[in-house]
Every structure is written in C-alpha cells, then in structure tokens.
Amino acid sequence: MTKEIPSRYNPEDTEDKWYSYWESHGFFHSKPDTREPYCIVIPPPNVTGVLHMGHMLNNTIQDVLVRRARMQGKNALWVPGTDHASIATEAKVVASLREKGIEKSSLTRDEFLRYAWEWKEKHGGIILQQLRKLGASCDWSRTKFTMDPDMYESVIDVFIDLYHKGLIYKGIRMINWDPEALTALSDEEVVYKDVQSTLYYVRYKVYGTEDEWITIATTRPETILGDTAICVHPEDERYQHLHGRKAIIPLIDRVVPIITDEYIDREFGTGCLKVTPAHDINDYNLGLKHKLDVVDIFNDNGTLNEKAILFVGEDRFEVRKKITEKLRQKGFLVKEEPYVNRIGFSERTDAVIEPRLSQQWFLNMKPLAKPALDVVMNDTIHFFPPKFKNTYKYWMENVKDWCISRQLWWGHRIPAYYLPNREVIVAKTPEEAYQIALKQYPELKDLRLEDLQQDEDVLDTWFSSWLWPISVFDGIRHPHNPDIEYYYPTSDLVTAPEILFFWVARMIMAGLEYRREIPFRNVYFTGIVRDKLGRKMSKQLGNSPDPIELIKKYSADGVRMGMLLTSPAGNDLPFDEALCEQGRNFANKIWNALRLVKGWEMDEKIPQPNYSATACKWFENRLNKSLQIVEDHFGKYRISDALMEVYRLMWDDFCSWLLEIVKPPFQQPIDKSTYQSVINFFDTLLRILHPFMPFITEEIWQHLRTRAENESIMLAPWPKIHEVDETMLNDFEFTREVIVNIRSLRQNHNISPKKILELYYNDSGQSHLSPNFESIIAKLTKVSKIEPFTANIENALTFIVKSTEFYIPAPQNFDLENERKKLQEELEYNERFLSSVETKLNNEGFRKNASPKVIENELRKKADAEARIQLLREKLDILKE
RNA sequence: AGGACCGUAGCUCAGGGGGAGAGCGCUUGCUUGACACGCAAGAGGUCAGGAGUUCAAAUCUCCUCGGUCCUACCA
C-alpha cells in the first residue's frame, strides 16, 4: 500500500524525475482563460551567458512568486527567453572565427551573420537549460529570443514609428567610442575607474613674442595635436594680458586663439586649459560656444590619422609616450606630476573609451520620460524596496537622449535607406523605401532599387529589450491579440537595481507609449550577490561559485533556500555556502519527518490520547498563525522572511513539538484521528513550502498519500487561512516554558532523562496551567503526576513561569549553592525590573500622558514582578535553612 | 562633488516611542528506536558616539564618526 521510502533522500534523481514529470504533463503551460492571470516575463539573459549567482537569485525569486500564484488558482505564466546581446555576442563570434583563422573583415555581412546564427544555435540555449536544473517553472513553449522574426519585426516597427513621430533623429554628437569593438556605446555601458596617471605641464609660446609662454596642464598630451584653442578664466589676474591673443601649439606650430570662459577652474593645474573639441566632451561644448575649429586626430581604432600631422598611424598610448619625450627634448615640458583621475572603460571590452564626434541615431527621451516618471511616483507601479523611487526620479528628470545605433552587424539593422542625393528614407523594406523615394523626390527619375543603401548600423540591444513585456506576446505587431490582452500588464518584474535605467525605466516608457498602460504592477529589486569579502561576484574576479556545482552538492532545493534566506529585497546578499548547507539540512529534516510518520502503524480502535488531541488543536492554530504571517510577508515581497517563518513552523513547531508529542511509544500503533490530523498538517506544510523547495515537497507529497496520475503539488491549492484562537497559542506557550524549565533542571542537576519526577505547582494565584496541557507536560518530561502543592516541600527544585511557581521534589542531593546563586540572580533581576516599572508608575507625567492601555500594561508588569519576587524570596529562605 | 540607504548578539539581518528578536555560529550534555545534515539545554547586546524632543528613545530630530550604493565628472 505504501511505497518504499528510502532511508536517504536522493535529490539528484528526484529533481530530474519531477522536473520532467511537470514538463511532460504541461503543468508550466498557460493559455488565456477566465481565471485571473498572473504573469512574469523573465529578464532575458544574454545568449552568450552561463548561469551565475545573480541569475540564481533572480530566477529563484521569480519561481517562488509564480509557483505560489499558480497554487492560489491564478492562471500563472512565466515567459522565458534570451536577448541577443549585440556587443558581447559579436565579440565572441569574432573571437571564435579568429581561432579558425577567419577575420571578420574578410567576410561579408551575410557571411558573418551566418556564422553568428550558427554560434547562437550551438551556445545560445545553455542558460535556459540550466534554469531547468533550478526548477524554474517557465512555459518553455513560449521561449522567446530578441531576434526571432516576430520580435525583430516589432523592433523595426517601433523604430519606424518613433522616427515618424519625430522622436528618432540622426545627429552628430560626442559619443563614447569603443576603439576595440569599433562601436559607439551608451553612457550606461561605460564604467569609470580611478587610474593612476600623470599630469603633464606643457608650455605654449604666445604668438608674436620671442619668449613669452603660457603653460597648460593635461593628462592627455597626445591630444595637443588636436588643440584648437587655449582657455583661461576671464577674471584670472594672471592671464589678463593674454586676452585676445594667440598661442602656438608646440611641435606642429599651429596658431590657436586664447579664449576666456567661466567654465575654467582657476585652482586646477595652471588655471589654463588646452581645448580639443574633437576629443573631450567639455572641450566640445566650449568649441560650440566659441565657434572653434574641430580637429579630429583619431582613427576608429584609436590610432592617429593624418590630421594629427605627427605620429600618423600610431596608437594613442604609444603616441602619449613619444610625444612626452619629444616635448621634453624640445623644452616644452615644464613638469610632470602623478595624478589620479577617473577614466571611462568599455563595459564589454574594457578598452579605454575615446570621447568622439560621430554621427549616430538618437531617441529623444524627454517626452517618453515624463509619463513614465508619474506612474512610479504615484505608485501605479510599486517599487520594492521603495527607496529606488528616488534614484528613478533623479534619472527621469535628467534624462538625456539615447544613442541607439551601434556599429555592429549582430542585431536589428536600422531600417534607414540612403539615396544618391544623400537623403534618408526610413521604411520597413527597401521596396517600400524605394516607393517613398520616388514619390518624395520626383527629380530622381532614374532611381533604381539597387541605388538605395541601407544604414550599416544595428540598434542597441536595449532597444529591443525595452519592448520585451509587449513583444513576447506579439503586442507590437498585433495589439489586440488574445495573449497580449490577457497577460498585459504583467504582474511582477524581478530584476537587479543596476539595470533600473537601462531596462526598467525604458520598459515603462515603451509600455506607456505602445499600450497606454504600465508593463508591470510591481518591481522587485534583488540585491547584488557578493562574496564574503563584500566584493561583487564576477567572472573577472573568479569569486563566483558555479551554480551547477552547488546544485550537485546541495540539491536545487538547498541552493534555492540558501539564496532566499538572507536576501531581503534591494539589500546586498553576502553569499555563503553555509546557507545552501542549511537548505540541504532542512531537506533532510523534512525527509526524516516523512519517514517517521509513514513508519507509524495506525489502529482505528484505540482512542485519541488527550495530549494528542490538545496538540493537534494547538497546531491547527499555530499553522494558521504562520499562514497569516507568511501572507503578510508575501504582500510586502519579503520572501526571505516568509521562508524563515515556514522553516521554523516545519522544524520547530511541527517536528520538534507536534511530532514529539503525538509520537506513539516504540512499536505501538497510533490512533486514527491523530494520524489523519498529522497527515493533513504535513500536506498543508508541504504546500506552503512548495514554492521555495519545489522538488522535495513534490516527492514527499507524493509519498504522503496515494496520488492519482496527473496530480501534482504544483497544482494543489494554496491553504486557506482560518481564524486563530490566541488563547490556545498562549496556553501552549506557557506549557512549552514549563517543559523547557523541567528539561533545564534535569540537565543542570544531572538528573537522568529517564528518571520519573513529580511536579507540584502553586495554585494560589490565577494559575496559567490549563488542565488539557498537563498531559503534554507529562508526556514530554516524564513526570508521573502534576498536582497543586499543599504543604512545604523540602529539598525541592523550583522554577517560575509567569507567576506560577513549580516544585520538583529532588530525587537526590542537588547543588544547593548553585541553586541559591541562580535564584539570587533571578531575584536581583526582578527587583531591578520592578524598580524601573515603579519609577515609571510613580512619575506624574506618565500617569497623566500615557494611554490607559500602556498604564494597564505597566500595572500588570508590576504585579507579575511583585509576585515573582515574593516567591523567589520564600524559596531562598527555605534554601538558607 | 551631489544624493540615497545603512551602523542592533561572533556573522547575516528583522524590529521601529512603553518588558531586546530570528537564523547560522559558539558552549555544555546526549548512540533519546525519523533525522549527528541530528536531539536537548545554554551563553552572548551601554541597539556606532554625542546632543535634543518626550512622562518615556534602539525607535523621532540634529551633529559627529564609520560603511555601502547611485548620479556626475575638472583638464
């Protein structure tokens, strides 16, 4: 009748078994129906990626939310997918081609893309495969990729639409150039680091003088070749005489104006700035303002071009060394000093970013940002934790236009077509562009389709991810299809605060622009996973454990629990393997609880003992109390707190208390009523635990009762909360304290656990000992009788719970001195406590201002303390004799 | 430089004006007929420091010190 239960839980086999069971039965699949929808779209990981600890955390949380929603009877859908990560993927493909001896430059665009797709098919699915190991209940039939044909088309449609709305434009701007990847980067893709460098002081001769000089300070002497001005502060007394004059650039002898601007910091260096509008954003702005020439001296790859005159074809860092030497030789270098400055690096290639003037496509963000700011500030979208609203607000109010073009091949190619007359047409296909061109420019009579040249660039990856919650349901191309209308807006988004602007903000903008509706109701920001030293886990540092190895060691359930336990929303998560160990231990504990319960033999004839009946009633209430707490935690997205509550309920209340109370003596059967209650409780506990530890809960749930084929705990209903009888809980708490005291006395006085004792209590006050609980005390502490005491008992061990005094006649000589000491300490503590309460009560201000409830509470504290003090004194008196 | 958040037990964190909490770790004792990945009992805190508001402050306000993160970037 019962399946054989192995003595040891084997997670590896079990987890694979249940995952394929769930998947093959289509339990993850969702389609629109009449139920309330619950939907999460996965933050799409890179196709190039492998699972790291950040993913583990993020996806575990999503799975918890989805599984719970599913059990709550909602139509739950978790949409998986990946993004194409243009820079990272292209870099990987280029590298792998190079290993084969193929240079990207020798390939046509189409040839290269064939290789890229090949690479994607081979390596792109790893991370989604790994998510299955974690137990992720994604609807795999809906797996999306940002370059799927429908997704691709959505991106192109949006580009065209925004272009026609006048929000997308092409312009020359100072952008962040990655000379290694040979592409522009957005501001968000640049990471600044402190770098030890040198500040070079270089003197320029003042034009028209024999020996008059002006000295500037720079960290980039190589850019001297692109200088088009020298700038000083208009009020700087040192340079008044130079206003309106000119200076000669060393080595190349170009004559440039000396201009004045209040932008200059007089304190820095010499208070004199060389201006290179082509290679520095601030200089560029100065150049615009003062109408300076722009001399761009760099090639795409960071080497110098012929405009530099000197060092043509050499790398910028080589040139820095060489020009410094040359300036020194010719007496232009006045001094060098060490200097720490912040330098931008490419997030992807780690190359030093070159600020560069370039023609790029931009998206005007201001009109999109305003409504997106409002929905967050007025809590239409909730942020957890809410502190991120501040950061969001700041960014949205200071939003800059988004550079959306990238000089790459892997990605969504910009649908812009250039005509021979250098005009540009934005259209979905070359044919369409051709037709428009004919209409728009009748003068181009001989225009042929082949004359149109499509823009070479692709779009920033985020320009596809920002549509994710809409495009995964094909809601851009078909705004009224059943999926988008049913699942959108999605429920929760779980992501890292690092991509608040990259992604979250932009999704909100896109949602409002294309659906007139928010994309999700709640955003849960996870913490950043750090190592024990507080460093962010990263591939570069090599301080991140391999999640798959962790799962092998501790089981997926164990790792999930480890991730969840200390991860309050938005806080950093200092990861420690010990947490996974704790998860594994917990799994072992539940497993053994199953073995215990299923090992019992049930006998319908025997009556239910009083202790079991009472314990079951208590546990029923305890369970509901916990459910209330868990519900509250979930409502606040406090997942780790919710799990901890369940953990303690299962381990402490269920295993350590309930099971120990109802456990029948060795090889004796258990009564039917208790047995059924315990099985019911166990069933409920497993259901509450299932979202956190899906695998072992399924395994045990299937063992617990005979289940039909097609049944799964995944689909079992989330327990309903019933009312809680607080008196019951208080009574049990009192009982528990009595039991702990007795156990403690046994240990402190070396009384064998097997020795039978007697327990007497002082019945004079209002006793807190409820008769129903006496049988529990008797069972768990091996006392033979529990009675009110009548006469003084000599040689008794005593303890006090609330204001009831308990006596245990000592079976042997106990440590009198020790006992006296403990009583004395307790007495002193109580006296101190009483005096603090009395001070408060005697304070007239307190009696006048405090609420009656508080005063009543203080009076009760006083009465309790007085009673305890009296009892302690009496006991001490007896012991002194 | 500007802003946000945070300093509570050895560690990681809850709590948020009226009796200091949890998990892990630690100590002690246990072959307790489910579990040593365990059972039981314990120890451990001037709630960072200072001032103020209040009858009452870990909690509210201000200052100091320390930490984390975000934004901007000075040649």
Side-chain angles (χ1 to χ4, degrees):
Chain A
M1 160 192 130
T2 49
K3 283 175 263 181
E4 192 62 33
I5 299 172
S7 69
R8 243 177 143 88
Y9 173 60
N10 178 342
E12 220 161 323
D13 297 348
T14 312
E15 293 184 349
D16 287 347
K17 175 182 73 184
W18 290 120
Y19 200 87
S20 50
Y21 176 81
W22 295 330
E23 207 177 349
S24 64
H25 284 74
F27 293 155
F28 302 152
H29 183 60
S30 162
K31 55 177 189 279
D33 60 22
T34 54
R35 288 175 294 165
E36 181 192 341
Y38 176 90
C39 179
I40 292 183
V41 291
I42 203 169
N46 282 355
V47 269
T48 62
V50 290
L51 204 63
H52 63 238
M53 296 307 283
H55 294 128
M56 294 288 282
L57 172 67
N58 188 287
N59 289 296
T60 301
I61 292 168
Q62 291 175 71
D63 197 43
V64 171
L65 295 174
V66 172
R67 283 181 183 271
R68 176 162 172 274
R70 197 178 283 122
M71 292 173 78
Q72 283 174 322
K74 295 176 191 165
N75 184 350
L77 169 62
W78 183 8
V79 184
T82 46
D83 80 30
H84 64 283
S86 52
I87 297 184
T89 308
E90 183 149 331
K92 290 220 170 180
V93 174
V94 167
S96 82
L97 284 173
R98 193 166 288 157
E99 274 174 31
K100 291 185 211 155
I102 307 171
E103 282 302 315
K104 182 187 165 192
S105 52
S106 72
L107 299 174
T108 65
R109 187 179 189 120
D110 285 342
E111 284 167 346
F112 177 81
L113 287 178
R114 263 201 297 281
Y115 280 116
W117 277 105
E118 214 173 84
W119 191 93
K120 185 258 169 188
E121 293 310 324
K122 206 165 152 195
H123 303 280
I126 296 177
I127 202 158
L128 299 182
Q129 219 48 50
Q130 288 176 319
L131 282 177
R132 290 170 162 90
K133 284 271 171 208
L134 184 65
S137 59
C138 302
D139 183 349
W140 299 109
S141 69
R142 291 177 179 270
T143 304
K144 290 305 221 176
F145 175 56
T146 46
M147 280 173 66
D148 287 344
D150 57 322
M151 304 285 281
Y152 194 107
E153 194 181 338
S154 303
V155 172
I156 299 303
D157 285 353
V158 163
F159 182 95
I160 295 168
D161 178 65
L162 291 173
Y163 179 79
H164 289 315
K165 284 174 178 160
L167 291 173
I168 285 181
Y169 62 91
K170 197 167 191 191
I172 295 183
R173 290 291 165 84
M174 180 80 50
I175 46 92
N176 305 298
W177 183 258
D178 180 337
E180 211 154 293
L182 300 180
T183 180
L185 298 180
S186 74
D187 292 343
E188 288 76 23
E189 289 163 314
V190 178
V191 281
Y192 286 89
K193 294 182 211 163
D194 278 328
V195 174
Q196 177 59 252
S197 37
T198 310
L199 194 57
Y200 302 90
Y201 289 74
V202 181
R203 61 180 194 165
Y204 291 34
K205 187 181 270 183
V206 178
Y207 180 69
T209 69
E210 269 315 300
D211 196 25
E212 208 178 317
W213 302 84
I214 179 165
T215 304
I216 57 91
T218 181
T219 52
R220 300 197 61 190
E222 70 278 13
T223 63
I224 282 174
L225 305 172
D227 281 358
T228 55
I230 299 286
C231 189
V232 296
H233 195 281
E235 284 156 29
D236 194 330
E237 286 169 12
R238 292 172 293 179
Y239 302 118
Q240 292 291 328
H241 63 291
L242 294 174
H243 291 189
R245 304 191 53 187
K246 290 174 177 171
I248 304 170
I249 301 175
L251 308 180
I252 54 171
D253 295 335
R254 184 161 62 230
V255 177
V256 297
I258 297 172
I259 59 170
T260 63
D261 198 286
E262 291 176 356
Y263 159 77
I264 299 301
D265 176 2
R266 279 172 277 185
E267 306 299 312
F268 189 91
T270 59
C272 200
L273 172 73
K274 71 182 210 55
V275 186
T276 323
H279 302 298
D280 181 280
I281 181 68
N282 298 298
D283 290 13
Y284 176 66
N285 291 330
L286 274 176
L288 283 181
K289 196 167 156 189
H290 297 273
K291 301 200 165 48
L292 299 175
D293 290 342
V294 176
V295 179
D296 183 346
I297 61 165
F298 289 124
N299 292 314
D300 289 357
N301 61 0
T303 57
L304 270 63
N305 61 28
E306 67 288 347
K307 288 201 188 119
I309 302 168
L310 303 172
F311 311 109
V312 175
E314 298 185 53
D315 182 75
R316 53 192 170 149
F317 297 111
E318 272 308 303
V319 174
R320 183 175 302 170
K321 283 183 216 151
K322 288 188 177 171
I323 201 169
T324 305
E325 193 44 44
K326 201 151 189 182
L327 289 167
R328 187 180 294 124
Q329 281 169 11
K330 305 242 167 163
F332 291 109
L333 189 64
V334 178
K335 117 177 131 161
E336 291 167 75
E337 61 186 32
Y339 180 69
V340 175
N341 64 343
R342 290 178 67 72
I343 294 179
F345 292 83
S346 164
E347 194 186 40
R348 298 290 175 205
T349 64
D350 209 36
V352 173
I353 291 302
E354 195 61 55
R356 188 160 194 258
L357 279 175
S358 164
Q359 192 162 81
Q360 302 287 340
W361 290 91
F362 291 90
L363 173 59
N364 177 1
M365 299 294 270
K366 284 224 163 58
L368 299 170
K370 175 73 178 73
L373 172 60
D374 292 344
V375 292
V376 170
M377 294 321 284
N378 67 23
D379 287 329
T380 309
I381 295 177
H382 290 268
F383 279 7
F384 295 91
K387 67 178 177 185
F388 288 109
K389 281 167 79 175
N390 289 322
T391 332
Y392 183 80
K393 179 162 183 268
Y394 182 84
W395 192 76
M396 295 303 259
E397 285 175 347
N398 296 282
V399 68
K400 288 190 223 138
D401 287 358
W402 175 12
C403 175
I404 52 174
S405 41
R406 295 290 182 274
Q407 288 64 52
L408 299 165
W409 283 347
W410 178 243
H412 307 78
R413 188 167 179 183
I414 293 176
Y417 300 87
Y418 298 95
L419 308 180
N421 65 0
R422 309 186 71 175
E423 293 291 341
V424 63
I425 306 274
V426 168
K428 201 154 178 174
T429 59
E431 292 75 19
E432 218 172 278
Y434 179 64
Q435 293 305 325
I436 296 170
L438 288 179
K439 254 183 238 157
Q440 216 163 319
Y441 303 102
E443 67 271 24
L444 298 175
K445 281 192 280 310
D446 303 330
L447 186 70
R448 295 166 309 163
L449 183 60
E450 305 89 83
D451 295 334
L452 270 63
Q453 283 206 314
Q454 187 172 0
D455 197 300
E456 292 295 324
D457 291 353
V458 298
L459 290 160
D460 179 11
T461 305
W462 298 106
F463 194 84
S464 49
S465 341
W466 77 322
L467 307 175
W468 189 251
I470 306 173
S471 57
V472 294
F473 299 117
D474 208 2
I476 296 287
R477 303 189 313 160
H478 304 290
H480 300 295
N481 80 68
D483 276 358
I484 189 83
E485 295 201 326
Y486 183 71
Y487 293 112
Y488 191 97
T490 67
S491 311
D492 300 330
L493 178 80
V494 180
T495 191
E498 301 158 289
I499 52 174
L500 175 57
F501 311 130
F502 272 121
W503 194 46
V504 180
R506 288 169 182 164
M507 277 191 289
I508 297 173
M509 294 180 198
L512 294 174
E513 182 70 18
Y514 287 100
R515 300 292 308 169
R516 302 282 146 212
E517 202 168 13
I518 54 170
F520 28 71
R521 294 178 225 281
N522 304 294
V523 184
Y524 176 107
F525 293 100
T526 61
I528 293 167
V529 185
R530 294 179 182 279
D531 67 9
K532 279 189 194 166
L533 301 172
R535 299 173 307 178
K536 190 172 158 178
M537 282 188 176
S538 72
K539 260 183 265 167
Q540 286 98 323
L541 279 171
N543 58 348
S544 175
D546 175 0
I548 299 301
E549 289 302 313
L550 279 180
I551 288 176
K552 277 196 188 130
K553 203 163 161 193
Y554 300 107
S555 77
D557 287 330
V559 177
R560 288 168 68 109
M561 183 163 161
M563 298 302 316
L564 290 170
L565 267 184
T566 58
S567 57
N571 279 20
D572 283 355
L573 185 147
F575 182 76
D576 190 338
E577 266 194 52
L579 297 168
C580 298
E581 198 182 327
Q582 192 180 347
R584 182 202 59 188
N585 295 353
F586 185 44
N588 177 255
K589 183 71 189 178
I590 315 166
W591 184 252
N592 279 291
L594 173 75
R595 288 180 56 221
L596 174 68
V597 171
K598 294 305 281 187
W600 290 336
E601 193 192 323
M602 197 250 285
D603 185 341
E604 301 202 9
K605 283 174 287 205
I606 56 175
Q608 183 176 38
N610 189 267
Y611 53 78
S612 291
T614 310
C616 288
K617 270 184 223 144
W618 158 73
F619 191 78
E620 174 97 50
N621 285 285
R622 182 70 195 81
L623 185 65
N624 278 298
K625 182 80 183 175
S626 269
L627 265 173
Q628 284 177 1
I629 294 168
V630 167
E631 220 58 30
D632 182 58
H633 286 319
F634 267 114
K636 295 169 181 158
Y637 289 81
R638 300 171 65 140
I639 316 278
S640 61
D641 290 332
L643 173 55
M644 185 46 72
E645 180 63 28
V646 183
Y647 175 81
R648 289 168 57 195
L649 176 67
M650 176 68 97
W651 198 312
D652 297 346
D653 295 301
F654 184 67
C655 293
S656 297
W657 288 100
L658 181 71
L659 293 185
E660 290 301 331
I661 294 169
V662 304
K663 191 194 258 181
F666 181 55
Q667 287 187 335
Q668 285 184 32
I670 189 166
D671 68 277
K672 186 180 177 188
S673 175
T674 304
Y675 185 75
Q676 286 178 339
S677 294
V678 168
I679 297 286
N680 285 336
F681 291 144
F682 210 158
D683 193 301
T684 307
L685 285 167
L686 290 169
R687 279 180 280 141
I688 308 172
L689 190 57
H690 177 258
F692 307 99
M693 302 180 98
F695 294 110
I696 191 170
T697 48
E698 179 80 275
E699 174 73 7
I700 296 180
W701 192 80
Q702 297 279 352
H703 274 295
L704 202 59
R705 291 191 167 110
T706 313
R707 309 284 181 185
E709 166 63 12
N710 267 330
E711 255 193 301
S712 165
I713 192 171
M714 266 190 70
L715 308 174
W718 186 258
K720 294 239 178 333
I721 304 177
H722 298 99
E723 227 174 287
V724 173
D725 176 1
E726 297 282 345
T727 318
M728 198 73 189
L729 296 182
N730 291 336
D731 284 352
F732 188 84
E733 184 52 29
F734 184 86
T735 308
R736 201 184 63 80
E737 276 185 53
V738 172
I739 293 166
V740 168
N741 268 289
I742 296 171
R743 285 171 175 171
S744 179
L745 285 182
R746 279 190 192 269
Q747 183 156 329
N748 290 338
H749 296 281
N750 282 323
I751 303 167
S752 154
K754 287 173 187 149
K755 171 88 191 168
I756 307 289
L757 300 172
E758 293 176 349
L759 178 67
Y760 297 92
Y761 61 95
N762 183 340
D763 202 17
S764 58
Q766 71 273 40
S767 170
H768 291 80
L769 190 59
S770 155
N772 277 336
F773 289 91
E774 289 181 7
S775 56
I776 293 178
I777 296 174
K779 168 125 197 237
L780 290 188
T781 61
K782 291 223 161 63
V783 296
S784 58
K785 60 177 172 181
I786 302 174
E787 286 174 2
F789 89 112
T790 40
N792 259 350
I793 303 164
E794 296 207 2
N795 237 16
L797 294 167
T798 57
F799 61 91
I800 299 168
V801 176
K802 295 259 172 19
S803 52
T804 304
E805 186 184 17
F806 291 86
Y807 298 85
I808 293 177
Q812 63 197 55
N813 284 336
F814 54 88
D815 186 342
L816 209 75
E817 199 42 50
N818 193 31
E819 186 69 5
R820 200 180 284 141
K821 210 177 114 205
K822 284 193 71 175
L823 288 173
Q824 189 61 40
E825 275 169 13
E826 209 183 330
L827 177 63
E828 280 164 21
Y829 170 82
N830 276 288
E831 280 171 343
R832 256 180 287 130
F833 178 68
L834 177 63
S835 114
S836 82
V837 173
E838 279 177 334
T839 313
K840 201 180 284 183
L841 282 164
N842 292 337
N843 184 326
E844 206 184 315
F846 175 76
R847 301 215 88 137
K848 219 163 55 193
N849 296 317
S851 74
K853 221 174 102 189
V854 170
I855 294 179
E856 193 191 321
N857 189 34
E858 292 301 310
L859 286 168
R860 199 176 61 242
K861 275 151 63 174
K862 181 174 179 233
D864 276 6
E866 280 170 348
R868 277 194 303 256
I869 286 168
Q870 198 199 333
L871 293 171
L872 285 164
R873 285 200 176 125
E874 281 170 16
K875 285 201 301 191
L876 272 166
D877 282 348
I878 295 169
L879 284 184
K880 268 173 196 150
E881 280 159 16

